[in-house]
Amino acid sequence: MSQHIAVIGAGLAGLVCASRLSEAGFQVHVFDKSRGVSGRLSTRRGEGWQADHGAQYFTASDPAFVQQVQCWEQAGVVQVWQPELHVAGSTSRGSGAADVVRYVGAPSMTAPARALAAGLDVQLQATVQSVQRDQAGWRIQVAEEAARAACDRLFDAVVLAVPSPQAVPLLQACAPDLAAQALQAIMSPCWSAIARFDTPCDPGFDAAFVNEGALRWVARDSAKPGRPATETWVLHASPAWSEQHLEDAPEQVAEQLVQAFVALGGGEPCSVVAHRWRYAQAAVPLGVSFLHDAGLRLGVCGDWLANGTVEGAWTSGAALAAHLVQETGAPVQDANEG
Ligand SMILES: Cc1cc2nc3c(=O)[nH]c(=O)nc-3n(C[C@H](O)[C@H](O)[C@H](O)COP(=O)(O)OP(=O)(O)OC[C@H]3O[C@@H](n4cnc5c(N)ncnc54)[C@H](O)[C@@H]3O)c2cc1C
């Protein structure tokens, strides 16, 4: 009988872990609190426009991830993006950036994650509030009543694939040692604004690393492959500015980021909307691939363990899955049959 594994978090780390475990013969059940999969590889949509307001692009250096990206390219869910790049302010960050091969999801940043999720059992709008283990196995509690049936069973093992500040409260009761390790990772916030224009806005570049003032990065989202033509820019505030303005009203934030964009040579948009990522990127990752307590059968993966990038999230999830498969061998026992 198959073993049942609950994977909490349907970002890239959770999904690659889930799909590898599923391929190895485990019964995998994925839970995510959001309305869609993909986590911080995120796209916002409106009438005739869309914009990636989370991760902007990704790079690939790990051979296994390079191979995954090639598969995604062949499947048409990833394309190379070659923006006209600019570096504003000091050249300490972003100089030499033109040599890098940048990939984006196509037609949106969520496409690779959606490809991984196809065929998996994913329960959306399921906010996991607690994970508890007794001798029979793991029990999971979710906030939403509509999702309760999906976790009304025992699980043999649990994988947590959520940002560290969201992992800590789940780990504290069942695995205080892992919680203490997760507390060591530091995640920084990011205010992100999507600005739309009636007419073309041309500051002379498609994207810029900004090393002064409020901004850290700006990009013409509509110049990415496969996007609608409506002129749309994404503006990201620096971690320090985002921290300083964390509790500001989104309208105020949007106005200030637009002003900074205008100072860079951009224009005044016809509409702008701001989104706060409270846990955007791992400023201080743990520097390990994953965490795993073999006695508890509890694993933890995500970008904040590895190196705070899309590639890091994928390699962390894949490494944890390989470890679980190797350690467990052929799936043998079902906790509900126990
Ligand atoms: C603004 C911004 C810009 C970025 N730019 C880049 C970039 O250019 N290049 C790059 O490589 N990386 C970038 N990143 C980082 C990149 O997005 C992440 O490294 C990667 O997407 C993390 O994947 P993950 O699976 O580890 O976590 P996530 O994508 O965060 O997935 C975690 C999932 O867990 C879910 N979840 C959380 N708590 C619970 C709970 N209690 N119950 C159920 N579900 C839960 C969430 O809804 C989410 O879907 C950026 C991130 C942001 C926010």
Side-chain angles (χ1 to χ4, degrees), residues 6-10 31-33 126-133 138-143 158-180 182-183 296 298-301 304:
V7 175
I8 300 160
F31 300 91
D32 199 289
K33 64 179 183 167
T127 308
V128 175
Q129 291 179 309
S130 75
V131 287
Q132 291 170 327
R133 189 180 160 85
W138 285 96
R139 291 178 197 282
I140 286 176
Q141 276 195 339
V142 293
V158 167
V159 167
L160 277 187
V162 303
S164 54
Q166 290 163 329
V168 168
L170 293 174
L171 290 169
Q172 257 156 354
C174 61
D177 288 356
L178 296 188
L183 269 171
L296 287 174
L298 174 64
V300 187
C301 61
W304 55 274

Side-chain angles (χ1 to χ4, degrees), residues 10 50 71 92 99 114 118 128 155 180 191 197 203 248 266 270 314 329 335:
Q50 68 174 53
C71 291
S92 60
D99 303 338
R114 282 191 280 113
V128 175
F155 298 95
W191 271 109
F197 297 82
D248 287 5
C270 60
W314 187 94

Side-chain angles (χ1 to χ4, degrees), residues 9 11-13 32-34 39-40 54-57 126 128 161 303 309-310:
L12 205 58
D32 199 289
K33 64 179 183 167
S34 302
R40 281 170 276 157
Q56 294 297 288
Y57 63 84
V128 175
D303 66 332
T309 63
V310 169

Side-chain angles (χ1 to χ4, degrees), residues 218-280:
V218 298
R220 178 186 276 131
D221 203 84
S222 43
K224 290 182 177 175
R227 269 60 176 176
T230 308
E231 181 87 19
T232 308
W233 283 74
V234 170
L235 321 175
H236 281 171
S238 70
W241 194 94
S242 299
E243 190 75 58
Q244 218 181 348
H245 296 265
L246 199 58
E247 304 304 334
D248 287 5
E251 300 74 25
Q252 261 178 311
V253 168
E255 199 182 306
Q256 291 186 62
L257 297 188
V258 165
Q259 277 170 21
F261 182 51
V262 169
L264 275 181
E268 285 282 351
C270 60
S271 82
V272 59
V273 58
H275 175 90
R276 179 182 60 194
W277 293 98
R278 198 178 275 281
Y279 311 119

Side-chain angles (χ1 to χ4, degrees), residues 74-96:
Q74 279 159 18
V77 295
V78 159
Q79 286 190 35
V80 171
W81 177 45
Q82 294 176 298
E84 187 69 38
L85 270 169
H86 174 66
V87 180
S90 81
T91 54
S92 60
R93 191 181 133 262
S95 53

